Amino acid sequence: MKTIEPESGQIITIERHILEEQRHHPEATGVLTQLLYDIALAGKVIASKTSRAGLAEILGRTEEINIQGEVVQKLDRFAHLTMYRLNDHTGRLAVMASEENEDVLPIPSEYPAGKYVLLFDPLDGSSNIDFNIPVGTIFSVYLRLSEFGPGTLQDCLQPGRSLVAAGYILYGSSTMLVYTTGEGVHGFTLDPSVGEFLLSHPYLKIPDKPAYFSVNLGYRKYWSEGVRRYSDYLQGRDGQAKALSLRYVGSLVADFHRNLLAGGVFYYPADSQDPKIPYGKLRLLYEAVPLAFLAEQAGGYASDGVHNILDIAPVNLHQRTPLFIGNRDLVECAERFIADYDAVE
Ligand code: FDP
């Protein structure tokens, strides 16, 4: 594999980077390259709004409740429509699905159907919008399974192992796009003065020595014995390990991004808070799977506490899953605590 690294003073735009990756695959038609570029464009458009979210009209809630039972923020809607509209007419996609929509999003019949499938969480961490805390767009790309015509629900219900590409755009103190096509994880920072994503973090690897653990400790009383003991272990309470520092933004993309750069583990376990959602809050397809692909490509691992997230066969678009993600040894350690203390009847 050829390393695409900026030589001193050389600027690598996301377009050039994706094109160079494409050249490693002589069989490639360029459609994926274009699709990733469309997603980057959507990210730029969404970033231009999120950075002005405090400015009057866009801030605040709509009165609507989305499929997850949460209040829809105006920016969520904007991000959802931006992703959809920038991708509905290109002929690259057979079907899309969004965390904000109950059913799959068909490609309008006047446009040709393409060979890829796009799933996205338009604005993850959106309960943080009003507080000027980073949020992000998470995306996953698959090849369609159906042979022709409009894409189907089954095209969207593929295990993470089938992913072609995944990534996120983080709207933080700067806007970053991080993606993988299975050849390493690459991070780009948006230079607002030229309006381009520039390669800033080639071949990201999670540092071997973890710095942080990230979890909503406020829910401790709702956790299983194994998860509680695991949390004690991470805090050095059992005297076995040195305590890790705790960082929890409550915006998954931001928490994942920090741990990707600094090393650590994020988890959102199953809890007993609400019997209607026994598997925790996070969505398998829109959140866990794409981040699991990135984690694996960066040398890490993601699990639901028992299974590798990438091996889970989804049964519905909005299913939830417990998630442990980050440094491999820390995630495997969680699996051991769960196996030892949370026997499944
Ligand atoms: P949000 O509801 O703000 O969109 O799954 C969504 C998510 O945020 C994640 O980004 C975040 O990690 C998690 O929920 C936060 O949930 P808690 O408030 O329960 O900790």
Side-chain angles (χ1 to χ4, degrees):
M1 190 198 318
K2 187 171 169 289
T3 308
I4 308 163
E5 298 214 29
E7 290 156 19
S8 61
Q10 193 184 15
I11 292 171
I12 298 188
T13 63
I14 193 161
E15 186 179 21
R16 174 170 172 190
H17 190 271
I18 299 172
L19 270 171
E20 299 220 352
E21 279 216 329
Q22 184 192 322
R23 288 195 189 108
H24 302 160
H25 299 275
E27 74 290 354
T29 56
V31 177
L32 179 63
T33 302
Q34 293 295 333
L35 171 57
L36 291 171
Y37 199 63
D38 295 339
I39 293 169
L41 176 61
K44 284 193 256 185
V45 175
I46 297 166
S48 74
K49 281 278 187 207
T50 54
S51 62
R52 289 184 294 140
L55 298 173
E57 91 289 351
I58 202 88
L59 182 67
R61 296 181 166 79
T62 61
E63 294 309 310
E64 247 179 71
I65 302 291
N66 73 6
I67 171 72
Q68 316 293 344
E70 303 153 337
V71 176
V72 180
Q73 308 276 329
K74 282 185 182 168
L75 264 176
D76 289 39
R77 169 89 57 73
F78 175 81
H80 166 85
L81 288 174
T82 301
M83 282 291 274
Y84 181 68
R85 288 180 181 151
L86 284 176
N87 285 289
D88 68 352
H89 58 281
T90 60
R92 293 170 192 129
L93 294 175
V95 64
M96 290 183 251
S98 162
E99 197 225 305
E100 291 296 330
N101 215 63
E102 181 162 10
D103 301 316
V104 298
L105 298 164
I107 299 300
S109 54
E110 63 266 38
Y111 301 123
K115 63 177 177 178
Y116 288 106
V117 175
L118 174 64
L119 271 61
F120 56 91
D121 180 352
L123 217 55
D124 181 69
S126 53
S127 63
N128 289 311
I129 292 169
D130 286 355
F131 313 113
N132 207 354
I133 288 171
V135 290
T137 300
I138 309 178
F139 61 89
S140 308
V141 177
Y142 300 86
L143 273 169
R144 69 183 297 173
L145 299 173
S146 53
E147 286 182 11
F148 49 81
T152 64
L153 174 62
Q154 287 314 314
D155 290 327
C156 298
L157 296 180
Q158 300 192 47
R161 284 274 163 241
S162 307
L163 273 170
V164 171
Y168 57 84
I169 302 135
L170 174 65
Y171 313 106
S173 46
S174 54
T175 298
M176 279 195 73
L177 188 151
V178 177
Y179 86 101
T180 184
T181 54
E183 298 202 353
V185 176
H186 308 286
F188 299 78
T189 304
L190 182 65
D191 181 340
S193 62
V194 292
E196 262 300 353
F197 283 108
L198 306 179
L199 182 62
S200 51
H201 297 71
Y203 289 103
L204 278 166
K205 285 284 172 204
I206 302 176
D208 290 338
K209 196 165 169 297
Y212 302 118
F213 78 107
S214 313
V215 67
N216 192 336
L217 271 181
Y219 299 150
R220 181 184 170 87
K221 73 171 182 174
Y222 303 112
W223 294 342
S224 67
E225 182 63 15
V227 173
R228 277 202 287 258
R229 286 188 184 243
Y230 175 59
S231 306
D232 289 346
Y233 165 80
L234 295 175
Q235 293 167 76
R237 284 193 186 197
D238 61 0
Q240 281 190 41
K242 194 168 168 282
L244 287 176
S245 190
L246 169 66
R247 292 280 191 287
Y248 187 71
V249 176
S251 183
L252 175 62
V253 195
D255 278 310
F256 177 82
H257 184 73
R258 184 201 49 247
N259 291 356
L260 174 66
L261 298 185
V265 62
F266 169 97
Y267 52 110
Y268 203 115
D271 66 44
S272 59
Q273 207 174 158
D274 179 350
K276 289 198 292 298
I277 44 172
Y279 302 114
K281 183 180 182 189
L282 303 181
R283 292 75 172 173
L284 178 67
L285 285 173
Y286 303 107
E287 296 171 310
V289 160
L291 298 187
F293 190 32
L294 288 161
E296 192 176 273
Q297 283 292 313
Y301 175 47
S303 168
D304 68 355
V306 180
H307 314 99
N308 186 326
I309 289 284
L310 295 174
D311 291 332
I312 299 174
V315 290
N316 79 60
L317 273 182
H318 296 280
Q319 86 190 60
R320 300 179 193 252
T321 180
L323 176 65
F324 299 80
I325 189 165
N327 285 69
R328 176 169 280 278
D329 52 348
L330 287 181
V331 175
E332 287 176 347
C333 180
E335 290 181 327
R336 282 196 297 278
F337 273 99
I338 287 167
D340 289 352
Y341 293 98
D342 303 342
V344 185
E345 288 98 60

